[in-house]
Amino acid sequence: KPDVTFTDTSGRPFSLATGMRKPITLVVFVYTNCPDICPTVLADLASALRRSEPAVRTQTEVLVITTDPERDTPAVLRAYLDRFDPSFVGLTGPLPDVKKAADTLGVPLEAGHPLPSGGYEVGHGAQVIAFGPDGNAHLVWLPGTPVGDIRHDLSALAELG
């Protein structure tokens, strides 16, 4: 687990190394201005959790780290995540800390690319890393992983505990 402390959307510090509170923790990097893959990945996670047994859901925490801390303030990130699942934990911090966490987890992250409209988009991996009850990363789901597969894998992770 990356030894990085972020700020959650409530303004409290959250350590990735020691702050994971539930036996199953899913970590994903997104940004709220993402035009395509980020909302799809979050919607798939929310759907898999809704379809999971209550015992699996209560054991699972989703940590969403913004790759665009300049625009994704805690309030912006919270409002965005609430559209998918209010239990998702939004995390933000200085971009060097985001890059450190991403590098540690093997998630590519590039600086913003200018758009003709004057804005920018952030290049990053949108894989979801699943940590199990032993604190180790057991699975990586790539964008497009079927919701049923995610649901199945969550149940299998819950059985490890």
XYZ file of all heavy atoms in Angstrom, residues 27-116:
680
model
N -9.397 0.460 -4.780
C -8.762 1.756 -5.029
C -8.821 2.040 -6.522
O -8.441 1.200 -7.347
C -7.286 1.767 -4.551
C -6.616 3.098 -4.875
C -7.196 1.461 -3.064
N -9.288 3.243 -6.852
C -9.374 3.649 -8.249
C -9.024 5.132 -8.356
O -9.314 5.916 -7.457
C -10.781 3.352 -8.839
C -11.863 4.143 -8.126
C -10.823 3.590 -10.334
N -8.371 5.495 -9.449
C -7.997 6.876 -9.736
C -8.927 7.408 -10.817
O -9.071 6.784 -11.872
C -6.548 6.948 -10.222
C -5.534 6.595 -9.166
C -5.254 5.272 -8.853
C -4.862 7.587 -8.482
C -4.320 4.941 -7.887
C -3.931 7.277 -7.502
C -3.664 5.944 -7.205
N -9.554 8.555 -10.553
C -10.475 9.177 -11.510
C -10.342 10.690 -11.440
O -9.635 11.215 -10.580
C -11.953 8.796 -11.243
C -12.148 7.285 -11.166
C -12.481 9.456 -10.008
N -11.046 11.374 -12.303
C -11.229 12.821 -12.152
C -12.623 13.183 -12.641
O -13.179 12.535 -13.521
C -10.121 13.628 -12.826
C -10.072 13.639 -14.332
C -10.402 14.793 -15.044
C -9.658 12.527 -15.048
C -10.323 14.824 -16.429
C -9.559 12.548 -16.419
C -9.897 13.697 -17.105
O -9.814 13.732 -18.475
N -13.200 14.196 -12.028
C -14.614 14.509 -12.234
C -14.929 15.073 -13.614
O -16.077 15.017 -14.038
C -15.147 15.477 -11.164
O -14.467 16.722 -11.287
C -14.950 14.916 -9.763
N -13.938 15.606 -14.311
C -14.163 16.137 -15.651
C -13.898 15.100 -16.740
O -13.906 15.436 -17.918
C -13.296 17.373 -15.888
C -13.824 18.568 -15.141
O -14.830 19.145 -15.513
N -13.157 18.934 -14.055
N -13.673 13.884 -16.356
C -13.402 12.811 -17.315
C -14.634 12.620 -18.206
O -15.747 12.479 -17.698
C -13.079 11.521 -16.564
S -12.772 10.109 -17.645
N -14.439 12.603 -19.515
C -15.586 12.527 -20.406
C -16.143 11.125 -20.624
O -17.241 10.981 -21.152
C -15.024 13.072 -21.726
C -13.574 12.712 -21.678
C -13.178 12.810 -20.223
N -15.422 10.077 -20.214
C -15.901 8.757 -20.600
C -15.626 7.644 -19.603
O -16.535 7.149 -18.957
C -15.334 8.370 -21.976
C -13.841 8.653 -22.088
O -13.132 8.583 -21.072
O -13.374 8.931 -23.208
N -14.389 7.245 -19.439
C -14.104 6.001 -18.724
C -14.316 6.099 -17.214
O -14.790 5.145 -16.591
C -12.685 5.479 -19.071
C -12.576 3.987 -18.761
C -11.603 6.262 -18.368
C -13.416 3.124 -19.643
N -13.988 7.224 -16.601
C -14.128 7.350 -15.141
C -15.568 7.125 -14.676
O -15.800 6.313 -13.765
C -13.606 8.692 -14.649
S -11.831 8.924 -14.894
N -16.552 7.800 -15.272
C -17.920 7.552 -14.807
C -18.382 6.126 -15.061
O -19.144 5.562 -14.274
C -18.773 8.571 -15.563
C -17.911 9.141 -16.624
C -16.494 8.875 -16.260
N -17.893 5.511 -16.125
C -18.271 4.129 -16.425
C -17.720 3.185 -15.362
O -18.439 2.300 -14.870
C -17.764 3.726 -17.823
O -18.321 4.615 -18.788
C -18.131 2.297 -18.157
N -16.457 3.360 -15.000
C -15.842 2.500 -13.984
C -16.569 2.660 -12.646
O -16.886 1.672 -11.970
C -14.338 2.795 -13.848
C -13.742 2.124 -12.618
C -13.599 2.357 -15.104
N -16.851 3.899 -12.246
C -17.548 4.131 -10.979
C -18.962 3.553 -10.999
O -19.419 2.977 -10.009
C -17.575 5.620 -10.646
C -16.216 6.234 -10.305
C -16.352 7.738 -10.104
C -15.585 5.576 -9.093
N -19.651 3.688 -12.124
C -21.000 3.124 -12.238
C -20.954 1.599 -12.144
O -21.818 0.979 -11.500
C -21.656 3.564 -13.547
N -19.949 0.979 -12.750
C -19.812 -0.474 -12.677
C -19.533 -0.934 -11.245
O -20.097 -1.931 -10.782
C -18.705 -0.973 -13.604
C -19.086 -0.898 -15.075
O -20.275 -0.659 -15.389
O -18.182 -1.078 -15.920
N -18.676 -0.213 -10.528
C -18.406 -0.564 -9.131
C -19.667 -0.431 -8.282
O -19.984 -1.310 -7.472
C -17.298 0.318 -8.550
C -15.886 0.050 -9.051
C -14.914 1.052 -8.442
C -15.458 -1.377 -8.739
N -20.384 0.670 -8.472
C -21.611 0.885 -7.704
C -22.623 -0.218 -8.005
O -23.271 -0.743 -7.096
C -22.199 2.264 -8.024
N -22.737 -0.600 -9.260
C -23.674 -1.654 -9.643
C -23.266 -2.999 -9.036
O -24.110 -3.735 -8.517
C -23.740 -1.759 -11.168
O -24.643 -2.750 -11.562
N -21.987 -3.328 -9.090
C -21.513 -4.589 -8.511
C -21.785 -4.633 -7.014
O -22.206 -5.673 -6.481
C -20.027 -4.771 -8.787
N -21.580 -3.521 -6.341
C -21.836 -3.483 -4.897
C -23.324 -3.599 -4.587
O -23.709 -4.305 -3.653
C -21.255 -2.209 -4.290
C -19.735 -2.219 -4.131
C -19.225 -0.833 -3.792
C -19.320 -3.234 -3.081
N -24.166 -2.909 -5.364
C -25.614 -3.006 -5.152
C -26.106 -4.440 -5.328
O -27.041 -4.870 -4.671
C -26.371 -2.086 -6.108
C -26.498 -0.662 -5.628
C -27.498 0.137 -6.452
N -27.253 0.095 -7.892
C -26.397 0.877 -8.534
N -25.682 1.773 -7.878
N -26.253 0.779 -9.839
N -25.483 -5.180 -6.236
C -25.896 -6.555 -6.531
C -25.259 -7.577 -5.596
O -25.602 -8.758 -5.653
C -25.537 -6.898 -7.973
C -26.304 -6.065 -8.966
C -25.848 -6.352 -10.366
N -26.512 -5.464 -11.310
C -26.384 -5.546 -12.620
N -25.625 -6.493 -13.142
N -26.999 -4.701 -13.403
N -24.322 -7.141 -4.772
C -23.637 -8.052 -3.853
C -24.484 -8.331 -2.624
O -25.373 -7.544 -2.271
C -22.294 -7.447 -3.417
O -21.406 -7.366 -4.500
N -24.201 -9.448 -1.991
C -24.857 -9.782 -0.728
C -24.554 -8.690 0.295
O -23.452 -8.119 0.275
C -24.352 -11.131 -0.202
C -24.683 -12.309 -1.090
C -26.169 -12.559 -1.183
O -26.877 -12.386 -0.167
O -26.640 -12.920 -2.277
N -25.478 -8.397 1.192
C -25.243 -7.358 2.200
C -23.956 -7.576 2.998
O -23.241 -6.616 3.304
C -26.478 -7.425 3.093
C -27.551 -7.975 2.204
C -26.851 -8.930 1.282
N -23.628 -8.820 3.320
C -22.412 -9.099 4.088
C -21.158 -8.704 3.306
O -20.178 -8.243 3.895
C -22.354 -10.572 4.477
N -21.187 -8.877 1.996
C -20.042 -8.493 1.160
C -19.953 -6.973 1.097
O -18.876 -6.386 1.249
C -20.161 -9.105 -0.251
C -19.080 -8.562 -1.180
C -20.107 -10.624 -0.175
N -21.089 -6.342 0.884
C -21.108 -4.879 0.768
C -20.600 -4.205 2.046
O -19.834 -3.257 1.980
C -22.511 -4.387 0.432
C -22.550 -2.887 0.239
C -23.842 -2.446 -0.426
N -23.948 -1.016 -0.435
C -23.340 -0.199 -1.279
N -22.547 -0.685 -2.195
N -23.506 1.101 -1.211
N -21.005 -4.703 3.201
C -20.573 -4.065 4.456
C -19.090 -4.269 4.710
O -18.498 -3.520 5.481
C -21.380 -4.578 5.661
O -21.204 -5.986 5.785
C -22.850 -4.225 5.527
N -18.481 -5.242 4.035
C -17.041 -5.476 4.188
C -16.203 -4.689 3.185
O -14.984 -4.758 3.226
C -16.724 -6.964 4.002
C -17.250 -7.869 5.059
C -16.817 -9.294 4.770
O -15.627 -9.581 4.732
N -17.781 -10.172 4.554
N -16.860 -3.981 2.277
C -16.155 -3.364 1.148
C -16.152 -1.846 1.242
O -17.181 -1.219 1.490
C -16.816 -3.793 -0.179
O -16.834 -5.223 -0.249
C -16.052 -3.244 -1.367
N -14.985 -1.278 0.996
C -14.804 0.175 0.959
C -14.202 0.540 -0.393
O -13.304 -0.152 -0.878
C -13.860 0.586 2.089
C -13.524 2.057 2.138
C -12.712 2.379 3.377
O -11.658 1.745 3.588
O -13.135 3.265 4.122
N -14.703 1.601 -1.001
C -14.190 2.070 -2.282
C -13.502 3.408 -2.048
O -14.120 4.368 -1.591
C -15.318 2.218 -3.325
C -14.759 2.760 -4.640
C -16.028 0.885 -3.547
N -12.205 3.449 -2.361
C -11.417 4.680 -2.242
C -11.195 5.238 -3.644
O -10.638 4.549 -4.509
C -10.068 4.403 -1.584
C -10.095 3.733 -0.213
C -8.671 3.532 0.300
C -10.917 4.557 0.771
N -11.628 6.468 -3.846
C -11.536 7.117 -5.149
C -10.576 8.292 -5.013
O -10.854 9.260 -4.304
C -12.926 7.602 -5.617
C -12.825 8.268 -6.980
C -13.921 6.446 -5.636
N -9.436 8.190 -5.696
C -8.399 9.215 -5.620
C -8.458 10.061 -6.881
O -8.373 9.532 -7.991
C -7.005 8.570 -5.482
C -6.966 7.657 -4.252
C -5.923 9.643 -5.408
C -5.731 6.778 -4.164
N -8.596 11.375 -6.711
C -8.650 12.239 -7.883
C -7.263 12.395 -8.503
O -6.264 12.522 -7.805
C -9.228 13.623 -7.565
O -9.236 14.384 -8.800
C -8.419 14.378 -6.529
N -7.242 12.402 -9.824
C -6.004 12.661 -10.560
C -5.929 14.132 -10.978
O -5.002 14.529 -11.663
C -5.918 11.772 -11.818
O -7.058 12.024 -12.645
C -5.856 10.304 -11.435
N -6.915 14.905 -10.554
C -6.998 16.323 -10.920
C -7.316 17.160 -9.680
O -8.387 17.767 -9.587
C -8.081 16.496 -11.985
C -8.146 17.904 -12.563
O -7.245 18.720 -12.277
O -9.112 18.174 -13.293
N -6.394 17.183 -8.708
C -6.700 17.889 -7.461
C -6.895 19.395 -7.628
O -7.523 20.025 -6.780
C -5.491 17.576 -6.566
C -4.407 17.164 -7.489
C -5.065 16.567 -8.686
N -6.419 19.957 -8.724
C -6.601 21.398 -8.947
C -8.083 21.743 -9.106
O -8.564 22.724 -8.560
C -5.822 21.842 -10.182
C -5.893 23.338 -10.420
C -5.044 23.753 -11.600
O -3.919 23.241 -11.753
O -5.520 24.612 -12.374
N -8.803 20.934 -9.852
C -10.233 21.195 -10.068
C -11.128 20.411 -9.110
O -12.232 20.854 -8.799
C -10.611 20.846 -11.514
C -9.993 21.765 -12.539
C -10.483 21.463 -13.941
N -9.931 20.197 -14.438
C -10.022 19.795 -15.696
N -10.657 20.535 -16.592
N -9.500 18.650 -16.069
N -10.675 19.248 -8.680
C -11.502 18.383 -7.836
C -11.301 18.693 -6.354
O -10.604 17.981 -5.631
C -11.193 16.906 -8.111
C -11.647 16.455 -9.478
O -12.436 17.182 -10.111
O -11.208 15.370 -9.916
N -11.923 19.759 -5.926
C -11.901 20.092 -4.504
C -12.670 19.013 -3.745
O -13.430 18.247 -4.350
C -12.572 21.454 -4.258
O -13.962 21.332 -4.619
C -11.907 22.571 -5.052
N -12.532 18.948 -2.442
C -13.311 17.956 -1.697
C -14.823 18.069 -1.962
O -15.491 17.049 -2.118
C -12.958 18.256 -0.237
C -11.544 18.751 -0.312
C -11.526 19.590 -1.571
N -15.338 19.283 -2.042
C -16.779 19.459 -2.278
C -17.176 18.970 -3.676
O -18.213 18.311 -3.841
C -17.180 20.919 -2.093
N -16.379 19.281 -4.678
C -16.664 18.843 -6.046
C -16.600 17.320 -6.124
O -17.486 16.671 -6.694
C -15.673 19.491 -7.042
C -15.733 18.828 -8.409
C -15.939 20.991 -7.156
N -15.577 16.751 -5.525
C -15.415 15.299 -5.552
C -16.563 14.599 -4.826
O -17.117 13.617 -5.312
C -14.064 14.921 -4.940
C -13.641 13.460 -5.026
C -13.629 12.951 -6.467
C -12.264 13.283 -4.385
N -16.970 15.134 -3.674
C -18.067 14.532 -2.911
C -19.367 14.544 -3.710
O -20.087 13.539 -3.795
C -18.250 15.276 -1.585
C -19.364 14.773 -0.688
C -19.024 13.445 -0.002
N -19.424 12.301 -0.803
C -18.782 11.131 -0.855
N -17.700 10.917 -0.150
N -19.193 10.149 -1.620
N -19.682 15.683 -4.317
C -20.917 15.783 -5.112
C -20.886 14.802 -6.278
O -21.901 14.171 -6.600
C -21.102 17.216 -5.605
N -19.746 14.649 -6.899
C -19.592 13.725 -8.026
C -19.789 12.276 -7.565
O -20.552 11.521 -8.176
C -18.202 13.924 -8.627
C -17.863 13.045 -9.802
C -18.424 13.272 -11.057
C -16.949 11.998 -9.672
C -18.090 12.480 -12.146
C -16.607 11.203 -10.759
C -17.177 11.449 -11.989
O -16.841 10.670 -13.064
N -19.132 11.887 -6.490
C -19.223 10.503 -6.009
C -20.616 10.155 -5.513
O -21.058 9.013 -5.655
C -18.191 10.256 -4.914
C -16.728 10.328 -5.375
C -15.802 10.135 -4.191
C -16.447 9.325 -6.476
N -21.309 11.130 -4.943
C -22.668 10.885 -4.445
C -23.610 10.451 -5.558
O -24.608 9.775 -5.306
C -23.221 12.112 -3.730
C -22.624 12.291 -2.348
O -21.950 11.362 -1.839
O -22.821 13.382 -1.772
N -23.301 10.824 -6.790
C -24.132 10.404 -7.925
C -24.009 8.901 -8.184
O -24.891 8.309 -8.796
C -23.747 11.177 -9.182
C -24.040 12.650 -9.060
C -23.799 13.452 -10.316
N -23.013 12.848 -11.355
C -22.112 13.488 -12.077
N -21.861 14.753 -11.849
N -21.467 12.871 -13.030
N -22.918 8.303 -7.736
C -22.688 6.873 -7.944
C -23.032 6.078 -6.686
O -23.800 5.133 -6.738
C -21.236 6.612 -8.352
C -20.869 7.303 -9.626
C -20.211 8.525 -9.609
C -21.212 6.750 -10.850
C -19.886 9.177 -10.785
C -20.894 7.392 -12.035
C -20.230 8.620 -12.004
N -22.420 6.466 -5.559
C -22.656 5.781 -4.294
C -22.116 6.663 -3.176
O -20.918 6.934 -3.136
C -21.954 4.422 -4.282
C -22.319 3.574 -3.086
O -22.367 4.111 -1.959
O -22.538 2.371 -3.265
N -22.966 7.118 -2.273
C -22.524 8.007 -1.197
C -21.496 7.383 -0.254
O -20.825 8.097 0.473
C -23.809 8.337 -0.433
C -24.927 7.956 -1.329
C -24.412 6.907 -2.260
N -21.351 6.054 -0.293
C -20.363 5.425 0.584
C -18.945 5.497 0.021
O -17.976 5.260 0.744
C -20.727 3.959 0.854
O -20.473 3.161 -0.284
N -18.812 5.826 -1.258
C -17.478 5.932 -1.847
C -16.701 7.024 -1.120
O -17.222 8.112 -0.872
C -17.547 6.274 -3.332
C -18.008 5.156 -4.231
C -18.397 3.919 -3.742
C -18.053 5.346 -5.596
C -18.821 2.898 -4.583
C -18.466 4.339 -6.456
C -18.849 3.111 -5.950
N -15.440 6.738 -0.790
C -14.584 7.675 -0.075
C -13.730 8.420 -1.101
O -12.914 7.807 -1.800
C -13.672 6.944 0.937
C -12.741 7.917 1.639
C -14.521 6.169 1.942
N -13.927 9.733 -1.194
C -13.156 10.549 -2.115
C -11.908 11.066 -1.434
O -11.951 11.522 -0.292
N -10.778 10.997 -2.149
C -9.498 11.434 -1.592
C -8.810 12.384 -2.554
O -8.813 12.172 -3.767
C -8.589 10.231 -1.340
C -9.139 9.161 -0.392
C -8.223 7.945 -0.381
C -9.324 9.722 1.004
N -8.215 13.419 -1.983
C -7.484 14.392 -2.777
C -6.232 14.807 -2.038
O -6.104 14.590 -0.829
C -8.362 15.613 -3.117
O -7.643 16.457 -4.029
C -8.774 16.387 -1.886
N -5.323 15.396 -2.759
C -4.076 15.876 -2.177
C -3.217 16.474 -3.262
O -3.609 16.514 -4.434
N -2.032 16.944 -2.899
C -1.144 17.532 -3.904
C -0.821 16.514 -5.008
O -0.683 15.313 -4.742
C 0.116 17.883 -3.108
C -0.319 17.928 -1.677
C -1.459 16.963 -1.559
N -0.706 17.004 -6.235
C -0.458 16.119 -7.370
C 0.772 15.231 -7.174
O 0.726 14.045 -7.537
C -0.355 16.930 -8.669
C -0.335 16.110 -9.950
C -1.543 15.173 -10.052
C -0.279 17.019 -11.167
N 1.877 15.711 -6.590
C 3.005 14.797 -6.373
C 2.634 13.595 -5.484
O 3.132 12.490 -5.695
C 4.070 15.676 -5.701
C 3.755 17.058 -6.174
C 2.243 17.098 -6.268
N 1.752 13.798 -4.518
C 1.306 12.679 -3.680
C 0.428 11.714 -4.475
O 0.521 10.495 -4.306
C 0.539 13.190 -2.458
C 1.437 13.897 -1.457
O 2.679 13.785 -1.573
O 0.891 14.566 -0.556
N -0.426 12.269 -5.331
C -1.265 11.424 -6.190
C -0.370 10.587 -7.103
O -0.577 9.376 -7.261
C -2.264 12.271 -7.002
C -3.034 11.404 -7.993
C -3.222 13.022 -6.081
N 0.653 11.222 -7.679
C 1.570 10.503 -8.568
C 2.325 9.425 -7.805
O 2.526 8.321 -8.316
C 2.545 11.481 -9.219
C 1.901 12.312 -10.301
C 2.909 13.218 -10.979
C 2.238 13.993 -12.091
N 3.170 14.857 -12.810
N 2.736 9.714 -6.578
C 3.451 8.715 -5.771
C 2.571 7.498 -5.524
O 3.011 6.355 -5.672
C 3.889 9.328 -4.443
C 4.606 8.349 -3.534
C 5.000 8.991 -2.214
C 5.642 7.969 -1.282
N 5.930 8.528 0.033
N 1.329 7.727 -5.144
C 0.403 6.613 -4.904
C 0.171 5.823 -6.188
O 0.191 4.586 -6.187
C -0.919 7.128 -4.343
N -0.047 6.540 -7.284
C -0.285 5.870 -8.566
C 0.936 5.046 -8.975
O 0.794 3.892 -9.385
C -0.636 6.898 -9.639
N 2.116 5.614 -8.852
C 3.340 4.883 -9.209
C 3.491 3.622 -8.365
O 3.819 2.556 -8.881
C 4.575 5.766 -9.024
C 4.715 6.839 -10.090
O 4.021 6.759 -11.130
O 5.517 7.774 -9.876
N 3.252 3.741 -7.071
C 3.385 2.596 -6.170
C 2.434 1.470 -6.563
O 2.781 0.293 -6.476
C 3.117 3.021 -4.707
O 4.055 4.036 -4.348
C 3.253 1.852 -3.749
N 1.249 1.837 -7.027
C 0.247 0.837 -7.410
C 0.327 0.433 -8.880
O -0.476 -0.377 -9.342
C -1.151 1.367 -7.089
C -1.439 1.527 -5.595
C -2.760 2.257 -5.369
C -1.444 0.170 -4.899
N 1.272 1.011 -9.624
C 1.428 0.656 -11.033
C 0.369 1.248 -11.937
O 0.075 0.709 -13.000
N -0.179 2.386 -11.524
C -1.202 3.056 -12.329
C -0.551 4.223 -13.075
O -0.006 5.122 -12.436
C -2.354 3.572 -11.437
C -3.372 4.353 -12.261
C -3.018 2.418 -10.711
N -0.582 4.221 -14.410
C 0.022 5.339 -15.140
C -0.756 6.636 -14.917
O -1.989 6.621 -14.811
C -0.056 4.895 -16.602
C -1.062 3.806 -16.654
C -1.156 3.211 -15.282
N -0.021 7.728 -14.829
C -0.630 9.043 -14.628
C 0.209 10.075 -15.355
O 1.417 10.162 -15.141
C -0.706 9.355 -13.130
C -1.224 10.726 -12.712
C -2.647 10.950 -13.210
C -1.174 10.857 -11.193
N -0.425 10.835 -16.232
C 0.253 11.863 -17.017
C -0.328 13.226 -16.690
O -1.485 13.348 -16.296
C 0.055 11.603 -18.511
C 0.573 10.274 -18.990
C 0.202 10.008 -20.436
O -0.301 10.921 -21.114
O 0.420 8.875 -20.876
N 0.467 14.260 -16.901
C -0.002 15.632 -16.693
C -1.152 15.926 -17.648
O -1.355 15.232 -18.648
C 1.138 16.612 -16.929
N -1.902 16.983 -17.342
C -3.043 17.356 -18.162
C -2.660 17.679 -19.593
O -1.642 18.315 -19.845
N -3.484 17.207 -20.527
C -3.291 17.485 -21.943
C -4.266 18.584 -22.352
O -5.476 18.442 -22.148
C -3.559 16.229 -22.777
C -2.712 15.062 -22.407
N -1.382 14.976 -22.735
C -3.009 13.935 -21.703
C -0.889 13.849 -22.263
N -1.856 13.199 -21.626
N -3.765 19.689 -22.938
C -4.663 20.783 -23.329
C -5.698 20.327 -24.366
O -5.418 19.499 -25.225
C -3.723 21.819 -23.940
C -2.359 21.453 -23.472
C -2.371 19.970 -23.239
N -6.883 20.880 -24.235
C -7.963 20.619 -25.187
C -8.214 21.866 -26.026
O -7.958 22.977 -25.569
C -9.246 20.250 -24.431
C -9.204 18.966 -23.602
C -10.466 18.844 -22.754
C -9.050 17.757 -24.507
N -8.745 21.710 -27.233
C -9.050 22.873 -28.064
C -9.995 23.855 -27.370
O -9.964 25.053 -27.629
C -9.702 22.272 -29.308
C -9.243 20.858 -29.355
C -9.018 20.456 -27.922
